[in-house]
Amino acid sequence: MPELPEVETVRRGLEPAMDGARFVKVEVHRGDLRWPLPKDFAQRLEGKTVTGIGRRAKYLLTDLSSGDVLLMHLGMSGSFYVFREGQVRSPEQNGDETPGRYYHERSQHVAHDHVIFHMSSGAIVTFNDPRRFGFMKIVARKKLDAEPLLNGLGPEPLGNEFDAAMLAQACKGKKTSLKAALSDQRVVAGLGNIYVCEALHRALLSSKRMASTIASRNGVPNERAERLVEAIKAVLKDAIKAGGSSLRDHKRTDGELGTFQHHFRVYDREGQKCPTPGCRGTVKRIVQNGRSTFYCPACQK
Ligand SMILES: [Zn+2]
């Protein structure tokens, strides 16, 4: 499943193709994504200009000249291809033309091309999603605050407002594990299994540690909260940097996690040496709340 850094890389990849461009034609091949597309989907886009592409957690927010926002989510297996008018779609091009394809396998099958945007920039933006858990929705910008998908979300982890004080407030008195707290979208938005594991390792904190132990009873952050916030921001920034630069550097054809595993310190590295300098531990895997946690029992306390 795409995580925040990948969605951010997708956003950056779509920007040159879509920002400032007009929807010339919108083709809907299959409207039954996670939720059905509205009947007037194409009409509400065609002729409108994109005035900006933003991101909130794992949602892409495309602002339109009409005052609407096109809300898009990649779901489990969604991705975008960007082609130029007249370019032939071929698998060899996918590695270069697919923003955000840096660790999750994507379909290259045209049968899964559900929505196609023909932009006035000459770009053809295709949404491909074999499992159809992704979705698109059009919401009026002025009603966005009331949008149920967005209004329960916690702070953006790379935003300035997300700091140790805020995380400590959210974790004070919480008897759940740090892993569970960080995976809770109300505590911090957009973190998934991979980056929770990576951040906890970088902060040298055990995923089983009780969330309340990063704060005083009143919610004042301690040094662990500071370390954790720094680690969360650092792993996300590194991953975004890697995603951006790796689009052209790597091609892959194998399983779910391919050439980019080396960017991970612990995720999917069970049995390997812990990368913390001076640590002689070995990466272990346990299951917490039904998901794998990768961690080093020697240096994560
Ligand atoms: Zn270690």
Side-chain angles (χ1 to χ4, degrees):
M1 183 183 309
E3 291 211 28
L4 187 150
E6 187 169 19
V7 178
E8 176 58 24
T9 308
V10 170
R11 190 193 70 73
R12 293 177 185 191
L14 292 179
E15 225 167 25
M18 295 181 75
D19 196 11
R22 194 168 27 86
F23 288 88
V24 175
K25 191 178 153 203
V26 174
E27 291 177 54
V28 177
H29 294 173
R30 276 198 81 146
D32 55 337
L33 302 179
R34 190 191 314 178
W35 299 302
L37 289 174
K39 284 209 163 44
D40 60 351
F41 182 76
Q43 288 96 301
R44 281 175 81 175
L45 298 178
E46 284 171 354
K48 314 301 184 301
T49 300
V50 174
T51 57
I53 304 183
R55 179 188 56 76
R56 177 75 172 104
K58 296 199 283 185
Y59 298 92
L60 292 164
L61 302 169
T62 308
D63 269 290
L64 308 175
S65 52
S66 58
D68 280 335
V69 176
L70 170 63
L71 192 69
M72 303 190 282
H73 195 278
L74 299 170
M76 305 283 289
S77 57
S79 59
F80 287 94
Y81 294 97
V82 179
F83 290 102
R84 293 280 142 191
E85 208 74 62
Q87 198 177 20
V88 179
R89 186 189 193 295
S90 74
E92 297 80 64
Q93 285 170 336
N94 295 338
D96 287 354
E97 301 295 335
T98 308
R101 185 199 180 201
Y102 63 96
Y103 63 72
H104 93 282
E105 183 56 293
R106 49 165 284 126
S107 163
Q108 297 177 353
H109 205 293
V110 271
H112 304 303
D113 288 353
H114 304 311
V115 181
I116 303 175
F117 301 139
H118 297 262
M119 307 303 299
S120 62
S121 61
I124 301 170
V125 179
T126 299
F127 180 65
N128 180 293
D129 187 1
R131 297 182 66 181
R132 285 184 287 118
F133 280 109
F135 64 85
M136 295 186 186
K137 186 173 176 179
I138 300 176
V139 186
R141 167 53 75 176
K142 56 179 193 291
K143 289 188 180 158
L144 210 58
D145 285 345
E147 170 54 45
L149 292 167
L150 303 177
N151 63 15
L153 292 173
E156 199 58 39
L158 289 172
N160 290 333
E161 76 279 13
F162 179 66
D163 59 11
M166 184 172 247
L167 184 61
Q169 269 302 325
C171 288
K172 77 173 177 194
K174 259 198 196 307
K175 303 293 177 217
T176 53
S177 66
L178 271 182
K179 170 95 191 274
L182 295 182
S183 305
D184 182 346
Q185 301 301 299
R186 294 164 300 183
V187 171
V188 56
L191 283 189
N193 203 37
I194 293 176
Y195 294 100
V196 169
C197 292
E198 291 291 294
L200 286 168
H201 179 261
R202 200 182 291 221
L204 305 178
L205 292 171
S206 167
S207 61
K208 292 180 278 188
R209 169 181 280 284
M210 211 183 277
S212 62
T213 62
I214 66 162
S216 74
R217 206 173 300 164
N218 305 326
V220 177
N222 58 27
E223 177 270 336
R224 291 183 200 113
E226 304 278 354
R227 251 195 292 156
L228 188 51
V229 165
E230 218 169 278
I232 290 168
K233 290 179 188 277
V235 292
L236 293 176
K237 279 183 191 161
D238 283 358
I240 290 168
K241 222 193 302 174
S245 65
S246 63
L247 287 177
R248 269 155 230 285
D249 300 343
H250 301 283
K251 297 210 173 175
R252 40 148 321 197
T253 51
D254 53 320
E256 192 197 353
L257 294 160
T259 27
F260 298 97
Q261 280 180 40
H262 65 270
H263 291 307
F264 300 131
R265 295 189 183 196
V266 286
Y267 188 81
D268 211 22
R269 293 176 62 93
E270 186 180 12
Q272 297 189 43
K273 195 183 165 297
C274 171
T276 301
C279 178
R280 299 168 144 220
T282 301
V283 176
K284 293 249 179 321
R285 185 182 77 91
I286 52 167
V287 175
Q288 282 182 288
N289 304 50
R291 306 293 305 273
S292 288
T293 296
F294 297 90
Y295 72 109
C296 171
C299 65
Q300 289 180 247
K301 301 289 180 198

